Amino acid sequence: TVRVWDISGLRKKNVAPGPGGMEDRLRNPAQTDLFGTSDAIVKHVLEGHDRGVNWAVFHPSLPLIVSGADDRQVKLWRMNESKAWEVDTCRGHYNNVSCCIF
């Protein structure tokens, strides 16, 4: 399974010691927030590999993803804003696929 994450909600916050100094930050760790209140969310779940996925990469200019896995397959996926789907599967590798590129 390949998951495409939307990380636009993550933003780095300044965690410099405030008026109370570093000791105050250590006494109240719940108030020390490294990221904003929004988390990363899963945008697409690409299911189709039968074994563990070793590599996935985005095409540099097209809405495509290629993935390689321990099932000895390379899969090509297409995505848009609302969904993602499998376009093609390349079979024939004799060993696990450890990486792939466009």
Side-chain angles (χ1 to χ4, degrees):
T1 301
V2 176
R3 286 180 173 78
V4 179
W5 292 82
D6 179 359
I7 61 169
S8 63
L10 294 178
R11 62 182 176 88
K12 192 168 183 171
K13 284 188 166 183
N14 183 3
V15 291
M22 185 57 87
E23 293 81 22
D24 188 41
R25 289 283 187 178
L26 294 174
R27 275 192 297 266
N28 300 312
Q31 293 178 350
T32 304
D33 187 14
L34 296 178
F35 298 101
T37 56
S38 300
D39 285 332
I41 58 170
V42 176
K43 190 171 182 178
H44 305 298
V45 178
L46 310 177
E47 294 180 337
H49 283 289
D50 296 326
R51 300 194 60 199
V53 176
N54 296 315
W55 199 273
V57 64
F58 290 95
H59 188 278
S61 60
L62 297 173
L64 298 173
I65 300 170
V66 66
S67 60
D70 288 341
D71 59 6
R72 300 182 298 202
Q73 297 177 6
V74 174
K75 290 190 177 283
L76 182 65
W77 310 85
R78 187 171 180 88
M79 64 180 181
N80 61 27
E81 287 300 315
S82 61
K83 65 180 180 175
W85 62 97
E86 185 178 329
V87 175
D88 202 1
T89 300
C90 301
R91 294 175 175 83
H93 287 83
Y94 293 110
N95 293 307
N96 299 349
V97 180
S98 59
C99 71
C100 45
I101 61 171
F102 278 101

